Amino acid sequence: MTHRTRAQHPPARPVASIVARPDRRARRLGAGAAIAALALGGAAITATPAVAADEPDFGPNVVVLDPSMPTDEINAIFAAIDDEPEFSQNRHAVLFKPGVYGSAEGAADPATAPDIVNGQVGYYTQVSGLGASPDDVVINGAIHAEGRPPATSCPWDGGGEADTALTNFWRSLSNVSINPIQRPVEGDTGVYGVCFPSAENPAGIMLPEGVADPGQLRWAVSQAAPMRRVHIQGNLTLMPRFGGYSSGGYLADSVIDGQVVSGSQQQWYTRDSSVGSWNGGVWNMVFSGVQGAPATDFGPHADGTVGNKTTLATTPLSRPAPFLYLDGDAYEVFVPNARTESAGVDWSTDASVGTSIPIGDFYIAHADRDTATSINRAISQKQHVLLTPGVYRLDKPINVKRADTVVLGLGYASLTPTKGNAAIEVADVPGVKIAGITVDAGLVESDVLVKVGPKGAKKSDPSDPTTLSDVFIRVGGPWAGDAVTSIEVNSDDVLLDHIWAWRGDHGLDGSGTWTGSTGAHGLIVNGDDVTATGLFVEHYQQNQVIWNGERGRTVFYQSEIPYEVPSQAEWMDGDRLGYSSYRVADGVTEHHATGMGVYSFFNQGQDIRAASGIQTPVGPGIRFESLISVFLSGSGGIEHTINDTGAPVVGGFGTSPVVSYPTP
């Protein structure tokens, strides 16, 4: 989450078309309930149960949709779960069986188009297709994410959190093809009286967030809200309707036929995809292996403008995340192979590109009855693990002791240590895949939350790296948890693909205060040949990333320095001012990082300084490209972008881009 003034990034003016919709009825499901009976137009609607006689028991928080279901029923299901609070303990997964949903009729006028799927995605919700390919699930309509409606002023006039997507976290969309026909969901009418009210029109101009141009889908999100394996048969916008702030984001293994508008997104990472074109962005837009990506223009230009895009022809190491799908009537999990120097999409489930694992080889865990003991017993019996949506409270870590084990979470399944233990530990074994989980630090401080390999780990496989995909860590937020280190990687040959390690800058029960939720480090890498693609690490109290291993590779990094530092004296790295966010250890001889942004917002009114956002040794094997430090707001700032290079950004809004380091 970041803070800027409107002057620093003026939003777009409102579009001409305004659509008002009736107020939304009160309609929420109780915690842990699947869709049972929802009132819609006076009729009772009963959704397909999550557990049929011939289906696995995915539990009450998973809804499986069928193409035969009416779109009104599907939309009611989304409406029942789209307004979870930011720190809710409820978790949801909505899964579409293969087929065509909704009608393409009327696509030219979304406001009146009949029979469309129109669902808004809220907190802790995974929406996924169950096809082998995204094109096996075709949705005529929109599965979308919107900015927060303005409450006190016109969205383009600033004030409050109007039209922002800065806290649109923890939601996802994957493995579907969407023909975009989007309109506001029921109740998205805008807020009465905040924009140009008058005696003749006391309600003012109504400004629903969900209006989109014909053929355009909106996914206005910030961190931990990935799109994977998505085909958008039109255009995609990644910002709120009126250009409000947004702090994403991650797109991978996807095809966007038309234009992607990133607009107010301050940073974004896109991997191994295809786009028609790309427009917009603020500071740090990174592309690797993306067909149709814009050319690199990062850094200051002779005409006074500053470019923000960095494009790599290929991704050095990648692996699409494992996913659940239907092979005929049989559920399986497809685990793609790792690839080197990859580009574009490959949606095949052929044996040459990955392994398909029958659901019968998985232990299907449920938060209301499973413990670390029962999950570990299943792993010891050579089963993989599928974590259904829920919050798992663990008095010991999940121990992954078998090579090639898959641990796959659905619906933002969350792991919480209760006795100062880790949430999950991987033994000295190669090829483990962990995907789709959230880990919350517990009330008793943990030394580490996710540990990949023991100290001194020896076993690894460069062709089958242990991989963490969509793994999200929170220290604070739902409660004031504590953990010294969020992720520790001791094994060699590990891939970290889309990580958000977040020490909460806000939250409940004292989260977001200097002593209320404590965490020193987001990521420590001790292993060699570790690659991170899409690495977000924010607000930790010392070096947020420490890289001790050799031949580390990072493609895209985003970090905010902690906000609430009480004084410079309490934030010193020896005799060095503050802590660099990204720290490569002095003894490292080979390291390469591309597309990095470090931002400051010290909010205690003290002149707090960080000597540099990035700190690294210098040598022939050390390379950094496309780096930027940013003063967002507050006081103090960052004196250099990397080591002693880069202009200060102190005392007022400013940016300091560095094209390469060391300078060639």
Side-chain angles (χ1 to χ4, degrees):
M1 177 181 178
T2 61
H3 295 260
R4 301 195 300 277
T5 66
R6 288 278 164 172
Q8 289 155 13
H9 187 70
R13 298 298 295 179
V15 296
S17 56
I18 303 290
V19 179
R21 307 293 295 172
D23 286 338
R24 185 180 304 179
R25 295 178 302 278
R27 75 293 175 273
R28 285 193 55 193
L29 297 178
I35 308 302
L38 297 169
L40 184 69
I45 293 177
T46 304
T48 303
V51 184
D54 57 347
E55 291 196 343
D57 178 9
F58 293 132
N61 302 322
V62 175
V63 178
V64 179
L65 305 179
D66 185 277
S68 65
M69 294 175 64
T71 55
D72 282 349
E73 184 174 342
I74 293 171
N75 296 341
I77 288 168
F78 277 100
I81 61 175
D82 74 357
D83 56 359
E84 292 286 0
E86 181 176 0
F87 297 112
S88 171
Q89 297 299 290
N90 298 331
R91 303 289 185 267
H92 307 283
V94 180
L95 309 179
F96 286 82
K97 287 187 174 182
V100 176
Y101 294 78
S103 169
E105 182 182 351
D109 185 3
T112 61
D115 193 28
I116 62 169
V117 174
N118 189 31
Q120 191 164 312
V121 184
Y123 285 109
Y124 310 111
T125 299
Q126 170 192 350
V127 180
S128 296
L130 289 171
S133 163
D135 288 331
D136 291 341
V137 175
V138 177
I139 296 173
N140 292 296
I143 306 296
H144 51 115
E146 302 296 335
R148 183 178 303 166
T152 58
S153 62
C154 289
W156 53 88
D157 290 335
E161 292 287 295
D163 192 48
T164 181
L166 284 178
T167 57
N168 278 9
F169 310 137
W170 308 304
R171 64 201 73 195
S172 68
L173 180 65
S174 63
N175 208 29
V176 295
S177 179
I178 297 179
N179 172 30
I181 312 170
Q182 179 179 319
R183 59 174 174 249
V185 297
E186 185 179 357
D188 178 9
T189 63
V191 180
Y192 286 93
V194 302
C195 191
F196 302 135
S198 66
E200 296 77 19
N201 182 22
I205 300 174
M206 304 309 295
L207 300 168
E209 289 284 320
V211 174
D213 294 335
Q216 183 185 65
L217 180 78
R218 181 174 295 109
W219 189 251
V221 297
S222 288
Q223 290 89 348
M227 298 181 81
R228 289 182 180 267
R229 289 176 58 87
V230 169
H231 181 192
I232 305 300
Q233 301 174 31
N235 301 319
L236 174 67
T237 178
L238 301 174
M239 65 176 177
R241 181 185 176 195
F242 303 103
Y245 304 150
S246 44
S247 183
Y250 181 91
L251 172 69
D253 307 304
S254 294
V255 174
I256 315 301
D257 291 343
Q259 184 179 70
V260 180
V261 178
S262 51
S264 66
Q265 284 287 352
Q266 62 186 31
Q267 70 278 316
W268 193 276
Y269 176 54
T270 305
R271 176 183 64 70
D272 294 349
S273 294
S274 174
V275 300
S277 62
W278 193 286
N279 182 30
V282 181
W283 297 316
N284 185 30
M285 318 303 290
V286 179
F287 308 82
S288 66
V290 178
Q291 297 165 349
T296 296
D297 68 355
F298 187 89
H301 298 170
D303 63 0
T305 61
V306 179
N308 58 22
K309 300 176 183 67
T310 303
T311 296
L312 305 179
T314 60
T315 305
L317 177 66
S318 68
R319 187 201 297 270
F323 61 93
L324 182 70
Y325 79 106
L326 280 167
D327 183 3
D329 293 328
Y331 284 89
E332 304 207 358
V333 171
F334 189 74
V335 183
N337 293 337
R339 303 182 295 173
T340 57
E341 304 304 332
S342 56
V345 300
D346 186 347
W347 292 336
S348 171
T349 52
D350 186 81
S352 65
V353 297
T355 303
S356 194
I357 304 173
I359 197 67
D361 291 350
F362 279 79
Y363 179 76
I364 301 177
H366 300 265
D368 61 347
R369 60 178 183 260
D370 273 298
T371 64
T373 297
S374 62
I375 294 170
N376 288 337
R377 183 185 307 116
I379 295 173
S380 70
Q381 294 170 353
K382 300 184 179 181
Q383 288 184 288
H384 304 281
V385 177
L386 189 146
L387 298 164
T388 62
V391 177
Y392 296 76
R393 292 175 170 83
L394 307 173
D395 62 358
K396 64 182 75 172
I398 295 173
N399 287 309
V400 182
K401 297 182 178 181
R402 180 171 55 90
D404 299 313
T405 298
V406 177
V407 178
L408 176 62
L410 294 182
Y412 286 80
S414 300
L415 310 179
T416 300
T418 61
K419 293 186 177 180
N421 48 284
I424 188 164
E425 294 186 351
V426 179
D428 192 5
V429 295
V432 172
K433 293 86 181 174
I434 300 171
I437 65 168
T438 298
V439 176
D440 286 306
L443 298 178
V444 180
E445 183 181 69
S446 297
D447 287 335
V448 64
L449 294 173
V450 175
K451 189 174 184 179
V452 181
K455 300 284 189 184
K458 301 296 184 184
K459 297 178 181 178
S460 68
D461 183 350
S463 67
D464 185 20
T466 287
T467 304
L468 276 60
S469 307
D470 297 339
V471 172
F472 309 130
I473 312 293
R474 302 190 297 193
V475 179
W479 47 75
D482 300 292
V484 178
T485 300
S486 287
I487 302 174
E488 181 181 296
V489 178
N490 297 309
S491 296
D492 299 340
D493 299 301
V494 172
L495 173 62
L496 307 173
D497 182 45
H498 193 211
I499 304 296
W500 186 33
W502 181 68
R503 177 182 164 267
D505 60 279
H506 64 282
L508 307 178
D509 302 331
S511 298
T513 63
W514 191 245
T515 58
S517 46
T518 60
H521 315 294
L523 170 66
I524 296 179
V525 176
N526 297 318
D528 296 336
D529 301 296
V530 173
T531 298
T533 52
L535 178 60
F536 302 74
V537 185
E538 298 194 284
H539 308 302
Y540 289 85
Q541 293 167 299
Q542 297 181 26
N543 295 125
Q544 304 201 53
V545 171
I546 299 176
W547 210 295
N548 297 312
E550 289 287 358
R551 296 177 298 281
R553 182 71 170 101
T554 295
V555 180
F556 182 91
Y557 178 69
Q558 183 262 331
S559 179
E560 288 186 4
I561 290 170
Y563 292 170
E564 74 285 14
V565 179
S567 69
Q568 188 74 68
E570 294 188 58
W571 200 58
M572 292 288 291
D573 186 4
D575 59 359
R576 194 173 193 272
L577 290 174
Y579 289 88
S580 59
S581 172
Y582 190 97
R583 175 73 163 102
V584 180
D586 291 341
V588 172
T589 60
E590 292 185 50
H591 192 87
H592 187 188
T594 304
M596 309 182 78
V598 179
Y599 317 145
S600 79
F601 170 42
F602 297 114
N603 65 6
Q604 298 298 298
Q606 302 294 310
D607 185 12
I608 310 296
R609 305 293 181 95
S612 66
I614 303 164
Q615 185 179 356
T616 180
V618 178
I622 303 291
R623 287 191 294 153
F624 285 80
E625 297 123 2
S626 299
L627 321 172
I628 191 167
S629 57
V630 181
F631 177 103
L632 295 169
S633 189
S635 56
I638 304 172
E639 297 197 333
H640 299 288
T641 303
I642 180 169
N643 289 356
D644 58 357
T645 298
V649 283
V650 174
F653 175 75
T655 65
S656 178
V658 173
V659 174
S660 63
Y661 183 87
T663 303

